[in-house]
Amino acid sequence: MTTSRTIGFIGTGIMGAPMAARLADAGHQVLAWNRTKNKADRLRSYGIEVVDLPEEAAAQCDIVIVMLSSGPVCDEILLGPKGLLEFMQRDATLVVMSSIPVETAHKHAKEAAQKHIHYLDAPVSGGEQGAIDGKLAIMVGGDVMTFRAVEPVLTLLGKPVRIGPAGSGELAKLANQMIVANTIATVAEAILMAERGGADPGQMLAALEGGFADSTILRVHGQRMIQKNFLPGGPAKWQLKDTQTAMALAEAMGLELPVSSLVNTLYEELVNHGDGELDHSVLINHLRRRNA
């Protein structure tokens, strides 16, 4: 059992709600806020206090975890004269677990340091089930001492690994999202070819298990594609947000990434077609349309 902490949790959507619940189950005092309040209200059964304003959580907690949808939303909630950084206690720790641009993490870290607040960027991978099971991959950027102080809390949510200074966690998450998006596209193409060729796609997945092509995406998203079950674990619109962020960073670094660029274009077409709210594995439907 870790030492009990007072934790503010900002953003209790698909991922944030089970994460906050796990922290409360472990004995921490959790104060939660969500813009759509009824998404936070369901957490009361875990002993979580639901507050009306995010600054109420920020002012009372020694750790504030942010799990919001994007960099602009994080900026809106964290920065400015009414942002959370204005209300947080001196020497408290801000942990941004959202997927945001690297430069946004750098900006947050600088603003936090000016107010004597410790900062970590700690985006996650593993989807809703990983959040429920406490098996998220957690990629952390920030100084070593801050990481060590918060590590026992993060371990309740998954496997935290410090990558380097502030911004490194987001850089690792972009690498993760590139791998995820590109692998989903390849798995979708393979299943489509099996379908059109007359093979049983389910049996093909079974045959590939344990081989070099095996992966979590092949097993989990491959089944989603075959079953046409696209209830969102990770919505396609957020996958596109991350691939677009990765492409913008690559351009700024002078990198040419042809495979990732092509997959990013496929996700842009998919979202423009109206499938952005569905799971990112729905990319196979876009390939089916292109091959109709």
Side-chain angles (χ1 to χ4, degrees), residues 17 37 48 52 91 99 101 107 131 139 141-142 145 164 195 201 222 232-233 251 264-265 271 274:
K37 194 168 183 287
I48 292 174
D52 293 324
D91 291 326
S99 295
K107 177 173 61 178
M139 298 147 270
M145 290 184 64
E195 289 175 347
E251 182 178 0
N264 178 63
T265 299
V271 171

Side-chain angles (χ1 to χ4, degrees), residues 84-254:
L84 292 192
L85 286 174
E86 293 293 333
F87 296 91
M88 288 181 65
Q89 302 171 18
R90 184 186 179 101
D91 291 326
T93 301
L94 173 63
V95 185
V96 177
M97 304 189 79
S98 308
S99 295
I100 59 177
V102 174
E103 60 269 23
T104 301
H106 290 159
K107 177 173 61 178
H108 292 169
K110 182 179 179 180
E111 295 269 355
Q114 291 173 352
K115 299 182 184 305
H116 304 282
I117 293 168
H118 305 291
Y119 177 85
L120 297 174
D121 56 291
V124 303
S125 180
E128 182 182 11
Q129 196 59 51
I132 293 169
D133 296 339
K135 294 183 178 180
L136 294 170
I138 306 174
M139 298 147 270
V140 186
D143 69 76
V144 175
M145 290 184 64
T146 301
F147 172 66
R148 294 300 179 203
V150 180
E151 187 177 13
V153 171
L154 296 179
T155 300
L156 296 169
L157 306 175
K159 180 184 177 183
V161 176
R162 179 182 175 270
I163 311 298
S168 299
E170 299 298 345
L171 187 58
K173 178 59 188 288
L174 288 179
N176 177 87
Q177 293 303 84
M178 289 165 59
I179 294 169
V180 168
N182 296 357
T183 306
I184 284 175
T186 300
V187 169
E189 289 184 346
I191 289 175
L192 179 61
M193 188 168 69
E195 289 175 347
R196 296 295 173 89
D200 183 328
Q203 289 299 101
M204 182 186 74
L205 294 192
L208 296 181
E209 273 193 40
F212 277 177
D214 197 8
S215 69
T216 301
I217 289 174
L218 180 71
R219 284 178 267 114
V220 176
H221 287 318
Q223 286 297 335
R224 282 177 173 266
M225 294 174 190
I226 292 169
Q227 296 167 3
K228 300 181 180 179
N229 171 21
F230 302 120
L231 292 175
K237 65 180 181 181
W238 300 139
Q239 181 70 68
L240 175 59
K241 169 184 71 75
D242 291 337
T243 56
Q244 287 177 330
T245 300
M247 292 303 93
L249 180 62
E251 182 178 0
M253 298 170 73

